Amino acid sequence: MARIVVVTSGKGGVGKTTTSASFATGLAMQGHRTVVIDFDVGLRNLDLIMGCERRVVYDLINVINGEAALHQSLIKDKHTDNLCVLPASQTRDKNALTMEGVGKVFEELSKDFEYIVCDSPAGIEHGALMALYFADEAIVTTNPEVSSVRDSDRILGILQSKSRRAELNLEPVKEHLLVTRYNPSRVDNGDMLTVEDVTDILAIPLLAVIPESPSVLKASNHGIPVVHQQDSDAGQAYRDMVARFLGAELPHRFIEPPRKGFLQKMFRSRA
C-alpha cells in the first residue's frame, strides 16, 4: 500500500512546490516508485518546476471527472526513473476536487506506486483540505518567521482533527517539520527565528533545514528540481531530508554561519 505524504503549510510562498518536486525526485532517485500530484487547482506550478509543462495534456480534474484515464494523465519524469507527475488544472475551480474522486485516484495510484507526494496549496482552502484529509504523513513547511510558524501551527490542528485518520480513529498522521529559506547570518542578527525557536513552538520532529540559496530559483527557472544539483547547499539539504525520511540518522547541516577565515577576520577587524 502506498504512503500518501502531503507537503503543506499555513502560509504561501514558503517553498512547498520546490520541496514537493525535490522530495519526490529524491525518493525516486533512491529507487522508490513515486508520483507527485499538484493539488493547487487553478494555479498550476509543479509542472514548471518539474520541467514538464509542455507535455501536459490531461490533468487531475480530467481524471476525477472521467474525461481521461489516469495513465493518460501521468507524465513520466525525463530526468529520473521511477517518477511520475500528475498536474493540476489551470482552468477549473478547486471545487472540482471531490472526496470520492480524489479517493479513487489515490486507490488506483496505490497499485503502482510506493509513495504519493501531494503538493498542497497553502492554508485551509478546499484543495488544501482535500490533500490533508487523505495523508498518512505530512511535511509541515515553514519559514523561520513568526507569522509562518503560527500558521503552520493551525495546520497541525487540522491534521490532528480533520484528517481521515482522525475521523477513523487510526494511528495519527505522522508529522515532520521542514524549515526552509534559513539564513544563519540573519538569525544571528535577530532577523529570523532560530531552528530551536521553531521546533519549540511547533513541537514536532525536525526533518530538515533548507538554507536560503540562489540555486533554488535557478533550478526552478530551468525546470529541474534543485535536489539534482550536487554542489548546491540546498540540493544537499534536500538529499539529507530524503535520507532522514527513509530512516537514516544524519546531522543537520547549514544551520550555523560559515566560519570566517583568518584573513577575513583580520580585514574585518581593521575596517
Side-chain angles (χ1 to χ4, degrees):
M1 191 70 178
R3 294 289 287 178
I4 300 172
V5 185
V6 63
V7 180
T8 182
S9 75
K11 186 178 181 182
V14 301
K16 287 186 306 302
T17 301
T18 295
T19 294
S20 297
S22 281
F23 177 64
T25 299
L27 289 172
M29 289 167 68
Q30 292 299 316
H32 297 283
R33 298 187 307 279
T34 305
V35 58
V36 56
I37 307 175
D38 191 346
F39 270 86
D40 203 354
V41 177
L43 294 173
R44 186 173 76 203
N45 284 311
L46 179 65
D47 57 310
L48 290 171
I49 292 180
M50 298 296 293
C52 63
E53 70 277 7
R54 295 182 182 179
R55 293 190 286 148
V56 176
V57 178
Y58 296 112
D59 55 55
L60 174 61
I61 302 303
N62 291 136
V63 177
I64 289 174
N65 289 344
E67 299 160 352
L70 182 58
H71 70 269
Q72 292 177 286
S73 303
L74 290 173
I75 302 171
K76 290 186 178 180
D77 187 73
K78 56 188 174 184
H79 301 292
T80 312
D81 292 334
N82 303 309
L83 180 61
C84 288
V85 180
L86 181 54
S89 171
Q90 280 187 309
T91 59
R92 305 294 182 94
D93 185 83
K94 289 179 172 60
N95 290 325
L97 291 169
T98 65
M99 193 77 73
E100 181 183 7
V102 173
K104 286 182 177 179
V105 169
F106 282 142
E107 184 178 355
E108 194 167 345
L109 288 171
S110 293
K111 298 174 185 176
D112 297 315
F113 295 96
E114 297 172 73
Y115 289 102
I116 301 171
V117 178
C118 305
D119 179 24
S120 170
I124 54 174
E125 51 90 6
H126 182 69
L129 292 176
M130 197 67 65
L132 289 170
Y133 178 78
F134 290 95
D136 297 310
E137 303 193 42
I139 297 174
V140 180
T141 310
T142 184
N143 291 160
E145 56 182 58
V146 172
S147 61
S148 182
V149 175
R150 181 188 63 184
D151 290 347
S152 292
D153 205 18
R154 175 81 185 278
I155 293 298
L156 290 174
I158 292 172
L159 284 168
Q160 293 160 8
S161 60
K162 292 189 176 182
S163 67
R164 177 180 59 89
R165 287 180 166 270
E167 284 187 2
L168 298 177
N169 198 27
L170 301 174
E171 183 180 350
V173 175
K174 188 175 181 179
E175 299 159 343
H176 309 270
L177 174 61
L178 181 70
V179 180
T180 56
R181 295 179 179 169
Y182 193 77
N183 186 322
S185 297
R186 293 182 63 189
V187 170
D188 279 358
N189 292 335
D191 298 329
M192 285 183 171
L193 298 175
T194 67
V195 171
E196 291 76 14
D197 290 334
V198 178
T199 55
D200 284 349
I201 294 169
L202 296 180
I204 59 175
L206 178 66
L207 183 60
V209 177
I210 310 299
E212 192 172 49
S213 173
S215 63
V216 173
L217 180 59
K218 184 177 179 180
S220 297
N221 287 338
H222 284 85
I224 301 175
V226 71
V227 72
H228 281 296
Q229 297 188 359
Q230 299 288 335
D231 297 330
S232 160
D233 50 0
Q236 293 171 39
Y238 275 120
R239 287 194 293 276
D240 286 355
M241 168 193 174
V242 172
R244 289 194 200 93
F245 181 85
L246 294 174
E249 294 186 8
L250 299 174
H252 289 282
R253 299 190 280 172
F254 313 113
I255 59 176
E256 300 293 338
R259 293 184 179 180
K260 292 183 173 62
F262 174 76
L263 291 178
Q264 288 177 299
K265 292 179 181 178
M266 183 174 69
F267 283 118
R268 183 176 180 181
S269 66
R270 290 182 178 180

